[in-house]
């Protein structure tokens, strides 16, 4: 498991990571979410000991990463799939990793097979790899030492849709076996589908964390979208109850819970053709919480 | 490339992890030095140039009927070539990790960075040894060839050979030190070339103009103070030793200490 406490990293007057604390539990996939430059990669580099923190501690299985003997056997790391020597073949990259960790060379072939890199692709130099292929190689490298913890920075980047689905399955399976996964992404939908636990970060600070349900509790916006056979009558009935209604597309946007809209419709014998919660889901919450940190300013 | 493979993830019995043995790190670093395209061709070029250099030396000395040609002559020829190329190898051993950003992988597999750097130092010395042996073997072959043409063979020049071995090892260390100080291949190469050619020239001009500068130069310039080694270190006077050690401290020890400190503390991105 991974434990991060009060982590802060400053560069001059710029604070990249600001008092970040969280834990990643075995058997769970923890998603690390945030806009570009929010401090995700810096936090991950600090965990792996590549960047010294200004303040705070990060431990893996209770010890500092630096004190893990042969850390590749405990923690699989993929921080940047492009950070490989262009002039080396994919197979050589894995061979070097296997040699360092003291693994048999058969493990290299197993991993190449696992990430669907063909023998002829593995013989090519990384210069000729697409980002998706580099990403697959990086995942193979992270899994090489059969680690119990995975730390992956934007692993879905550059993968094709089939590849993304494959990786989702792989990580799910890995966590179900008892593995700990920390993965970062700026793609919400990706993480939403696999993460048991989510950490939302913006401008170096954690803005929210928890499982999907507890995160949604942050969403205070109550809204319903309703369409009926008689929108005018429904709008009048709702307005009469003091609920504000605005037309939206073919239906109405109502500032109330869907249950309230349904009740009103029943009372007035109006046939509803569509009724759903207007809460935007995780994406809305994410944009709302990080709105002051988004580059685009306030988004809708 | 399909994305269907669902091979079960390997589950070996989890043995208590033990430290990575140093010998294995050396093996890995050695493999890294030749398994990239640039590394392979650099080694190939060093070998080819030494061969060509010796060939030219043999032809020139044979044609010109130079007298005292011996094994030491050929060692010196090889030395001129390798003193530029060998440190390039040493530089790339260090800087490629940073320019190609593989340091991220290297240091996450062995976070005790000093062990990785030590392994690289050992590898740089292994390559020095291989190069020296190759150069001497070439020298022996061409010395034989020269003897066959000229009728007389001299195997003397042993002192020169020992000087050659020491200066090559020092050149390698200087390249390594500059590389760890700069962490950037072009910068480290430029500084090394400046050390080899530009700085001696500047000091030469200074020495020609001012007498006191000449004695200063003798203590600072390693390219100058290492020359007595070629006549055998057992012949060196106390002053020569002093000059040699002072200049080694300036060009090898100092940059190596600061360079290593930089590698150990640098943020790896």
């Amino acid at each position: 498991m991974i434990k991060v406490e009060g982590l802060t990293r400053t560069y001059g007057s710029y604070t990249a990571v600001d008092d970040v604390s969280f834990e990643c539990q075995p058997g769970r996939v923890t998603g690390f979410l945030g806009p570009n430059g929010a401090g995700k990669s810096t936090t991950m580099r600090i965990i792996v000991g590549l960047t010294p923190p200004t303040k705070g501690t990060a431990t893996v299985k209770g010890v500092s990463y630096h004190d893990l003997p042969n850390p590749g056997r405990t923690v699989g790391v993929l921080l940047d799939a492009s950070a490989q020597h262009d002039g080396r073949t994919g197979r050589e990259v894995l061979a070097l990793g296997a040699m360092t960790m003291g693994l048999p060379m058969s493990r290299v072939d197993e991993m190449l097979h696992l990430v669907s890199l063909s023998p002829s692709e593995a013989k090519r130099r990384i210069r000729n790899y697409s980002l998706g292929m580099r990403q697959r190689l990086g995942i193979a490298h992270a899994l090489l030492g059969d680690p119990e913890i995975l730390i992956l920075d934007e692993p879905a980047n550059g993968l094709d849709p089939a590849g993304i689905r494959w990786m989702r399955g792989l990580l799910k399976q890995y966590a179900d076996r008892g593995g700990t996964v920390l993965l970062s992404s700026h793609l919400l939908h990706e993480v939403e589908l696999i993460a048991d636990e989510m950490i939302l970060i913006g401008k170096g600070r954690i803005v929210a964390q928890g499982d999907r349900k507890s995160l949604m509790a942050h969403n205070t916006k109550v809204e319903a979208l309703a369409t009926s056979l008689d929108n005018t009558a429904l709008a009048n009935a709702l307005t009469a109850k003091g609920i504000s209604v605005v037309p939206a597309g073919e239906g109405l946007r109502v500032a109330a819970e869907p249950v309230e809209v349904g009740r009103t419709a029943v009372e007035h014998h109006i046939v509803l053709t569509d009724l759903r919660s207007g809460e935007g889901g995780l994406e809305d919450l994410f944009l709302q919480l990080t709105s002051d940190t988004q580059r685009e300013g306030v988004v809708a | 490339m399909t994305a269907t493979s669902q091979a079960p993830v390997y589950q070996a019995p989890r043995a208590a992890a033990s430290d990575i043995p140093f010998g294995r790190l050396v093996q890995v670093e050695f493999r890294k030095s030749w398994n990239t395209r640039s590394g392979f061709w650099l080694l190939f070029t060093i070998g080819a140039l030494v061969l060509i250099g010796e060939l030219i030396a043999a032809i020139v000395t044979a044609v010109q009927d130079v007298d005292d040609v011996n094994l030491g002559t050929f060692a010196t020829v090889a030395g001129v070539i390798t003193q530029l190329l060998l440190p390039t190898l040493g530089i790339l051993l260090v800087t490629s990790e940073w320019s190609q950003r593989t340091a991220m992988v290297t240091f996450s597999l062995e976070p005790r960075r000093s062990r990785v750097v030590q392994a690289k130092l050992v590898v740089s010395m292994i390559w020095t040894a291989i190069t020296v042996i190759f150069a001497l073997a070439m020298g022996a072959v061409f010395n034989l060839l020269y003897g066959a043409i000229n009728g007389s063979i001299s195997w003397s020049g042993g002192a020169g050979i020992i000087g050659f071995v020491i200066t090559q090892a020092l050149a390698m260390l200087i390249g390594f030190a500059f590389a760890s100080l700069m962490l950037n291949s072009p910068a480290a190469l430029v500084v090394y070339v400046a050390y080899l050619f530009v700085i001696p020239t500047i000091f030469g001009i200074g020495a020609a103009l001012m007498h006191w500068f000449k004695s200063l130069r003798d203590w600072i310039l390693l390219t100058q103070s290492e020359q007595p080694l070629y006549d055998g270190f057992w012949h060196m006077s106390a002053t020569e030793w002093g000059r040699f050690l002072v200049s080694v401290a300036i060009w090898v020890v100092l940059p190596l200490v600061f360079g290593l400190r930089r590698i150990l503390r640098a943020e790896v991105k």
Side-chain angles (χ1 to χ4, degrees), chain A residues 224-227 257-259 261-262 272-277:
Chain A
L225 293 171
T227 313
E257 299 273 3
V259 60
V261 180
L272 287 171
T273 54
D274 184 24
L275 176 61
R276 57 203 145 95
S277 169

Side-chain angles (χ1 to χ4, degrees), chain A residues 4-10 14-23 32 38-39 42-43 46 53-57 199-209:
Chain A
V4 168
E5 279 172 298
L7 219 54
T8 300
R9 169 74 206 199
T10 56
Y14 173 68
T15 306
V17 176
D18 191 357
D19 196 24
V20 163
S21 303
F22 62 85
E23 265 180 51
F32 203 20
T42 309
T43 306
I46 294 174
T54 309
K55 255 205 324 259
T57 55
I199 300 160
L200 271 55
I201 183 169
K203 262 191 187 158
R205 285 189 152 275
I206 291 181
V207 289
Q209 69 185 93

